[in-house]
Amino acid sequence: MIMKKILTALHRTENGVAGAVLLLMAAIPALEVVVRKVFSTGVPNSSDYLQHLVLWTTFLAGAIASRERRHLSLSAGMEFIPEGARRWIYAGTGFLSSAICTAFAWCALSLAVIGFDPTRRVGPFSIQLIAAIMPFGYAVMAARFVTGAPTGRAGKIIAATGILLGTFLSLGQIASIFPGAAEALAPVVTASQAAAGFISFPVLILLIAAALVDTPIFIVLGGAAYFLFVRSGASLEVIPNEAYTLLTGSAIPAIPLFALTGFILSEGKAGERLIGLFRALFGWLPGGMAVMAILVCAFFTTFTGASGVTILALGGLLAFILTKGGYREGFSSGLVTSSGSIGLLFPPSLPVILYGVVSQISIKQMYAGGIIPGVVMVAALSAMGVRAALRSGVKRVPFDPREALRAIRGSIWEILLPVIIMGGFFSGLMTIVETSSVAVLYALFVAVVIQRDISLKEIPRVLLKCFPIIGGILVILALAKGLSYYIVDAEIPMHLSEWMRAHIHSKYVFLLLLNIALILTGCLMDIYSAIMVVVPLIIPLGEIFGIHPVHLGIIFLANLELGYLTPPVGLNLFLSSYLFNRPLISVYRQVLPFLLVLIAAVLVITYVPFISTALLDVVGQ
């Protein structure tokens, strides 16, 4: 009982610190905008504070995601495995996860001790103290992969031995942290390095298999980077250093802040108000109810950056409305499933921001490039809704101007949010990070003060629901950056480019192969890790065939959207099966017509570059 109370107190403290850090991160850029406009100056050291708050948010939220067992993973078919076998599989994945997290904890501690200038400070804080959140976060995650493993006592003991293995593999880093012990540790360090090299190839194979049985994606990508660096003999501190460099990048804070905006919207009644709005405006059209569902999904996915949030938050309600409106049940659930990722090309989409960061393309240009292709994909799904409505004789909702005005008045605050975002960012008044900060504060003010969907006491609950997604995404980005570094350092893009020059001579053949490869990638890998790992490979290939960088980016993102729907393991398919309590085979059948239509839309986007480049001159750089 006493231990339970202590754990509860620790969890509350952890939640409170993480929430305070996230809200402070949301407040600083907005304050910067006000100070700049009013006093023509800025907040001292605001960029340093903000970037390192992202670092703390990443590892605090990552620790919470481990506590809640909510790290992003691919758990295809786990429900079909007998419970007894599943327990042993979870013991194995717990062992693997705890070992890799422990190894990263020691690598990050070594980086914090020897990799930073001890005289450097961020405000009053030592950079080494700030960077200590990295080894602390990894260590907490390692412990929670043991204590939270869904297995019996024997399984937890197996998972715990992963901590011992991770420590043994890290004796070289431990020796660098404690130089006085380096001589005494020299023989075991040599043995440790030899063992790491010996097991590196088998572990890489094991990681690929583990990816299919609920192992967190960041473990798979980070573990692959770790053992590839072991095989190359490179310094392992490069991996946490790459994570630090990415997380303290200037545009990265926009990702957790826009995600938080989406969660604030989804936790209130914004979805219901928008459903009422689009129903009043489009219900009189043939297929108007289906168009309404697609637009609502696009709106929410744009902000959350995670189609799973949209499906789980609104899928049941939208499917119910469509079914009651006369659409077949299978069509309704298929449409909702297919619409769950439809908003990823529109501002302020998080994948677009990340693609711009990784490819070093203007985020403003990427947003402009995605608008028309996004409309094409929305129109493609809407055409399916119109066709179904006409064939099934779905009744239309008569247009009522007074009802439409009431719906507009009721949802005006939600309507204004994208206007504020696009106006502030595209006009140049605010940076993308400042825009995301204003979006969070605006959404909070509307939800708490104006609409009163969320009380002040409920804000911690909203933040707690948001942390696993934020932590899951940012930890993946942090460790995928190490794998991306290895790919570039090993000159894999250069060798791939040479092979393409020698064997592929048609731009259109290359684009078709790219479509196929990216759809498969989206099926097997989440969009954030795919951006980090795959984008460095395709950028030089695009240059070979003269493809506009923005057009290439839109092709990439549009294909990754399809990956969410691609059998057998597209993420939206599993979420839909869970939400609607249907067998996966049934979900595959319901989604297939929509997937084929979206593939046709993506082929149009791929082979007609004007669709992606038409607005670039309008927004400038």
Side-chain angles (χ1 to χ4, degrees), residues 415-608:
I415 298 171
L416 287 176
L417 181 56
V419 174
I420 292 170
I421 290 171
M422 296 181 69
F425 179 56
F426 283 106
S427 68
L429 292 175
M430 295 182 287
T431 66
I432 189 63
V433 173
E434 291 167 350
T435 304
S436 66
S437 170
V438 170
V440 170
L441 298 181
Y442 176 88
L444 266 178
F445 182 78
V446 170
V448 175
V449 178
I450 297 177
Q451 302 287 16
R452 297 185 180 179
D453 294 336
I454 302 171
S455 67
L456 286 173
K457 292 181 180 179
E458 290 180 308
I459 291 177
R461 175 184 60 80
V462 175
L463 295 177
L464 182 60
K465 291 189 71 172
C466 186
F467 286 141
I469 292 294
I470 290 177
I473 291 172
L474 292 179
V475 171
I476 285 173
L477 300 186
L479 288 175
K481 185 63 167 67
L483 182 57
S484 176
Y485 180 94
Y486 175 85
I487 289 171
V488 174
D489 189 58
E491 298 183 341
I492 293 175
M494 184 183 73
H495 295 311
L496 188 57
S497 298
E498 291 174 353
W499 187 90
M500 280 288 182
R501 282 195 181 96
H503 295 89
I504 306 295
H505 304 292
S506 167
K507 172 182 177 180
Y508 300 104
V509 172
F510 164 72
L511 287 173
L512 181 60
L513 293 175
L514 182 64
N515 285 139
I516 296 170
L518 290 177
I519 290 175
L520 292 175
T521 299
C523 176
L524 298 170
M525 187 181 291
D526 73 282
I527 195 167
Y528 299 99
S529 52
I531 291 171
M532 298 301 301
V533 175
V534 179
V535 168
L537 295 174
I538 68 167
I539 288 177
L541 301 180
E543 292 174 354
I544 291 173
F545 293 98
I547 300 170
H548 193 287
V550 171
H551 182 214
L552 182 67
I554 300 306
I555 293 172
F556 180 93
L557 295 171
N559 278 279
L560 266 290
E561 278 192 32
L562 298 187
Y564 282 108
L565 299 174
T566 305
V569 288
L571 176 62
N572 284 11
L573 304 175
F574 288 94
L575 293 175
S576 180
S577 175
Y578 164 78
L579 180 66
F580 299 115
N581 194 26
R582 292 177 179 274
L584 274 172
I585 297 298
S586 174
V587 175
Y588 295 162
R589 287 197 299 267
Q590 293 164 2
V591 166
L592 183 60
F594 300 98
L595 177 61
L596 294 175
V597 168
L598 288 174
I599 288 174
V602 168
L603 289 175
V604 171
I605 293 167
T606 300
Y607 291 104
V608 186

Side-chain angles (χ1 to χ4, degrees), residues 263-337:
F263 267 86
I264 293 169
L265 293 172
S266 65
E267 284 299 299
K269 295 182 179 179
E272 295 178 20
R273 286 189 288 271
L274 288 171
I275 288 172
L277 171 68
F278 291 128
R279 184 176 184 177
L281 295 180
F282 300 106
W284 61 277
L285 294 170
M289 296 292 288
V291 173
M292 171 274 296
I294 295 165
L295 293 177
V296 171
C297 286
F299 181 91
F300 274 88
T301 304
T302 293
F303 283 95
T304 61
S307 64
V309 175
T310 302
I311 291 175
L312 295 177
L314 298 174
L317 175 61
L318 289 172
F320 175 79
I321 291 173
L322 289 171
T323 304
K324 289 296 182 183
Y327 289 94
R328 289 183 298 104
E329 189 173 339
F331 176 89
S332 301
S333 56
L335 179 68
V336 171
T337 304

Side-chain angles (χ1 to χ4, degrees), residues 169-205:
L169 295 177
S170 304
L171 289 176
Q173 285 69 48
I174 295 172
S176 68
I177 297 168
F178 306 103
E183 186 174 346
L185 289 174
V188 286
V189 167
T190 302
S192 165
Q193 292 170 340
F198 179 75
I199 68 172
S200 59
F201 184 73
V203 173
L204 287 168
I205 300 299

Side-chain angles (χ1 to χ4, degrees), residues 342 345-346 369-380 554 561 605 611:
I342 201 67
L345 292 179
F346 295 120
I371 290 174
I372 297 178
V375 170
V376 168
M377 297 186 77
V378 167
I554 300 306
E561 278 192 32
I605 293 167
I611 294 175

Side-chain angles (χ1 to χ4, degrees), residues 370-404:
I371 290 174
I372 297 178
V375 170
V376 168
M377 297 186 77
V378 167
L381 282 185
S382 298
M384 291 282 288
V386 172
R387 177 175 175 270
L390 292 174
R391 290 184 63 182
S392 303
V394 174
K395 293 182 180 179
R396 307 181 198 180
V397 178
F399 182 74
D400 184 341
R402 288 177 296 181
E403 178 63 27

Side-chain angles (χ1 to χ4, degrees), residues 50-187:
L50 182 64
Q51 289 160 10
H52 289 90
L53 284 171
V54 176
L55 187 72
W56 272 63
T57 296
T58 298
F59 287 95
L60 289 171
I64 292 173
S66 295
R67 187 185 81 202
E68 303 290 326
R69 296 196 70 248
R70 295 269 308 278
H71 275 292
L72 298 177
S73 62
L74 182 65
S75 55
M78 284 295 289
E79 67 274 16
F80 302 119
I81 298 175
E83 185 177 352
R86 199 160 55 215
R87 285 175 176 268
W88 290 110
I89 289 173
Y90 282 132
T93 58
F95 167 82
L96 197 60
S97 300
S98 64
I100 289 172
C101 273
T102 300
F104 280 133
W106 287 114
C107 288
L109 184 59
S110 175
L111 176 70
V113 172
I114 67 176
F116 291 100
D117 181 356
T119 63
R120 181 187 166 194
R121 309 188 77 79
V122 177
F125 305 105
S126 163
I127 186 64
Q128 289 182 320
L129 178 63
I130 292 173
I133 191 63
M134 297 171 67
F136 175 79
Y138 284 128
V140 171
M141 284 188 270
R144 285 175 173 167
F145 280 125
V146 175
T147 60
T151 184
R153 182 186 296 271
K156 291 186 189 303
I157 292 173
I158 291 172
T161 59
I163 294 178
L164 299 178
L165 175 62
T167 300
F168 175 70
L169 295 177
S170 304
L171 289 176
Q173 285 69 48
I174 295 172
S176 68
I177 297 168
F178 306 103
E183 186 174 346
L185 289 174

